[in-house]
Amino acid sequence: PPYVFNDGKVDQRGRFIIGASTANFANPEPNGGLFRLDPDLSLTKLDSGIHFSNSPCWAPDGKTFYFSDSLINTTYAYDYDVESGKVSNRRPFVNTSELGGLPDGATVDADGRYWVAVFRGGKIAAYMPDGTLGQIIDMPVPLASSVAFGGPDLDRLYVTSISHDVTQGDDGDHEDDDEAGYLFVIEGLGVRGIREPLFAG
């Protein structure tokens, strides 16, 4: 079935892991999945049964992989084989329903906390490695879309946002959200990120 690729990251060995989402926004079906693009440009399907893919990132040791199906507000954790690039043992990790939105872009800090933009919820949430909620940051806009650590010391959290929600048929600006679509930076969190690897192909 047709699908669209959405959100990817590179693992410790230079492989590009990317999610695929259903192309049917009106009546979403779980025909998306998870794929691995190796440095030799071969493409391998790793998992299926995903509606809207998001949030790929790894624990600091590379052995746990996080990936979300945003339609059902659920982030999964997988066992990740760093040597082979294979995933296994998918299990629910967190559900962002209680925060009023869905998991979008995500990253992990050096201590293993999982940071995720809660799209429509106007929040950034940090979860501990055991899945408990550790911190919430309220954003001035509802459609925070992704997060990444940057700066010389990787201690600044950059947050992207968008001005309209295409999945809800909303193609106009949020008139009350003057900063919708801005890029934000959050400082003073007391945490550091992990430098992202580059694709080896």
Side-chain angles (χ1 to χ4, degrees):
Y3 44 71
V4 292
F5 285 106
N6 179 58
D7 209 350
K9 280 197 175 71
V10 176
D11 74 2
Q12 294 179 358
R13 299 299 170 85
R15 310 178 190 96
F16 185 54
I17 310 299
I18 188 169
S21 299
T22 177
N24 188 348
F25 286 91
N27 296 291
E29 299 177 9
N31 55 22
L34 182 67
F35 293 80
R36 185 187 73 238
L37 182 66
D38 287 294
D40 64 1
L41 303 186
S42 60
L43 188 67
T44 302
K45 190 171 188 177
L46 300 176
D47 200 9
S48 58
I50 301 294
H51 299 84
F52 293 136
S53 65
N54 261 315
S55 324
C57 54
W58 287 263
D61 63 5
K63 295 180 180 179
T64 301
F65 175 69
Y66 302 108
F67 182 64
S68 297
D69 187 337
S70 294
L71 182 73
I72 56 175
N73 299 335
T74 299
T75 298
Y76 298 105
Y78 297 76
D79 294 335
Y80 191 81
D81 188 321
V82 179
E83 297 301 322
S84 67
K86 294 179 180 179
V87 297
S88 60
N89 189 28
R90 184 173 89 178
R91 64 269 187 196
F93 175 59
V94 298
N95 187 296
T96 58
S97 297
E98 62 182 18
L99 302 181
L102 55 89
D104 206 333
T107 192
V108 172
D109 68 27
D111 294 317
R113 285 175 290 250
Y114 169 81
W115 296 77
V116 60
V118 183
F119 189 81
R120 300 195 192 113
K123 298 176 178 65
I124 305 301
Y127 291 90
M128 307 304 288
D130 64 0
T132 58
L133 182 60
Q135 185 174 355
I136 296 175
I137 300 170
D138 290 315
M139 296 295 297
V141 293
L143 304 182
S145 56
S146 195
V147 291
F149 285 100
D153 298 318
L154 295 176
D155 59 353
R156 300 172 185 167
L157 186 67
Y158 290 86
V159 182
T160 58
S161 69
I162 65 174
S163 59
H164 59 277
D165 189 346
V166 294
T167 66
Q168 295 293 298
D170 171 11
D171 57 3
D173 290 341
H174 288 262
E175 294 181 1
D176 295 333
D177 304 325
D178 293 337
E179 297 175 320
Y182 280 26
L183 172 67
F184 300 88
V185 59
I186 302 171
E187 299 179 300
L189 291 171
V191 300
R192 294 177 186 271
I194 301 170
R195 192 170 301 279
E196 297 286 351
L198 299 177
F199 182 57

